Amino acid sequence: MNPVLKVSNLSIAFGGLKAVDNLSFEINSKEIYGLIGPNGAGKTTVFNCITQFYVPDQGTVEFVNNKGELIELNKLATHEIIQHGMVRTFQNVELVPELSVLDNILVGGHIDFKTNFIQQFLQTPKAKQEEALLTKKALDIIEKVGIAHLAYLPAGALPYGVRKKIELARTLMSNPKLIILDEPAAGLNDKETEDFAQLIRDIRDEYECTILLIEHDMGLVMSVCDRITAINFGRFLATGSPYEIQRNEDVITAYLGEEDDDE
């Protein structure tokens, strides 16, 4: 196997409360990997530690970047991580509602701009060429995620399920090696969730990237993930295939609670 992300002995506490407690797991290249647990288990906190929104109290996060270099994410600032091929979405869709679908997706290509503000303002030949190349890339991505007919509409006027697709499409502009999805199916109906699950698979295959996701919809998790790690109160419970996780006694107890012996 080829690990692309390795989390080792990760811990962080807030006001004396351990949100993540000595957690370790690793994700292989081109896997769709799930991180699950009951509400308050510390899943989003783990994501925030990986992407350095939070600085962990203990542990390391190592990532094989898009140049094949092993880097320690703990030593990077949050804004530097995208340059190494790791991007993320958030629980709440983060779009600029007044901008078109195309312009929102173009925002994701900002790290590829080589021309400076003056060149772009003056629309020099180099700036025009760069803009044309990135626009073509964005339109290709919009086509692949199935929303090409909406490219020039304002993002804020579109249904929630479409906005989720826009946010995912935007991550592809930076040529990601690892995409982190925080609750991608939140707010979606059953049909939208099914479509989104297929989109996740298609993106993994088309762009040959790795995907790490948090999700409460167990139907999506079990249908789309190659492997899953379950946590509770920030602690490791189990890692395995969807089949193994569904049958793991510790995971069942964490979700359902201890059975009453009198029943």
Side-chain angles (χ1 to χ4, degrees):
M1 290 295 182
N2 243 338
V4 70
L5 181 75
K6 185 175 182 180
V7 175
S8 303
N9 308 118
L10 193 70
S11 294
I12 188 170
F14 300 103
L17 177 66
K18 278 251 180 172
V20 182
D21 190 357
N22 203 37
L23 180 66
S24 298
F25 62 91
E26 61 181 48
I27 303 171
N28 296 317
S29 179
K30 300 176 188 175
E31 273 192 312
I32 300 176
Y33 197 96
L35 184 67
I36 67 168
N39 286 331
K43 303 180 297 293
T44 295
T45 303
V46 173
F47 273 21
N48 287 335
C49 287
I50 290 171
T51 53
Q52 299 304 297
F53 278 84
Y54 297 155
V55 178
D57 300 327
Q58 172 190 305
T60 58
V61 182
E62 295 175 309
F63 177 58
V64 179
N65 68 11
N66 46 20
K67 295 180 180 177
E69 303 164 335
L70 181 65
I71 59 171
E72 192 173 323
L73 297 183
N74 308 60
K75 297 178 179 178
L76 299 180
T78 304
H79 68 274
E80 295 173 323
I81 287 176
I82 190 172
Q83 300 167 13
H84 291 274
M86 181 186 291
V87 291
R88 70 171 291 179
T89 63
F90 294 84
Q91 287 184 17
N92 299 315
V93 177
E94 301 287 345
L95 299 176
V96 183
E98 296 81 11
L99 293 182
S100 69
V101 171
L102 175 60
D103 286 338
N104 267 283
I105 291 172
L106 280 168
V107 168
H110 71 279
I111 64 168
D112 289 330
F113 275 101
K114 303 297 187 293
T115 52
N116 59 36
F117 173 77
I118 299 298
Q119 290 171 306
Q120 292 170 27
F121 180 77
L122 296 175
Q123 283 290 282
T124 64
K126 185 176 179 182
K128 287 181 179 179
Q129 181 184 33
E130 186 174 60
E131 185 176 342
L133 288 171
L134 287 172
T135 298
K136 181 182 183 307
K137 180 179 179 180
L139 288 170
D140 287 345
I141 290 170
I142 291 172
E143 180 76 38
K144 284 187 171 69
V145 301
I147 52 174
H149 58 297
L150 305 172
Y152 299 99
L153 295 180
L158 297 171
Y160 190 73
V162 175
R163 283 182 277 153
K164 284 274 189 174
K165 288 185 177 181
I166 297 168
E167 189 175 44
L168 181 55
R170 185 175 58 193
T171 69
L172 299 172
M173 284 295 292
S174 59
N175 304 314
K177 185 161 186 179
L178 174 65
I179 301 174
I180 297 178
L181 305 177
D182 194 350
E183 301 272 7
L188 303 185
N189 61 37
D190 290 345
K191 180 61 169 67
E192 289 171 331
T193 299
E194 185 180 327
D195 290 346
F196 209 90
Q198 186 58 53
L199 181 58
I200 290 171
R201 294 187 201 98
D202 291 344
I203 284 173
R204 187 270 304 273
D205 296 340
E206 177 78 22
Y207 293 90
E208 298 187 333
C209 57
T210 305
I211 296 174
L212 168 61
L213 64 92
I214 289 173
E215 184 51 65
H216 283 293
D217 188 315
M218 288 297 103
L220 183 145
V221 171
M222 297 303 166
S223 70
V224 81
C225 290
D226 300 304
R227 287 193 305 140
I228 298 164
T229 285
I231 64 174
N232 195 23
F233 298 111
R235 300 188 197 99
F236 175 87
L237 285 179
T239 290
S241 68
Y243 180 88
E244 292 167 330
I245 291 296
Q246 284 177 306
R247 288 155 181 79
N248 185 282
E249 291 297 330
D250 291 335
V251 176
I252 293 169
T253 298
Y255 272 93
L256 301 180
E258 296 283 357
E259 289 188 7
D260 189 336
D261 291 338
D262 293 333
E263 291 184 3

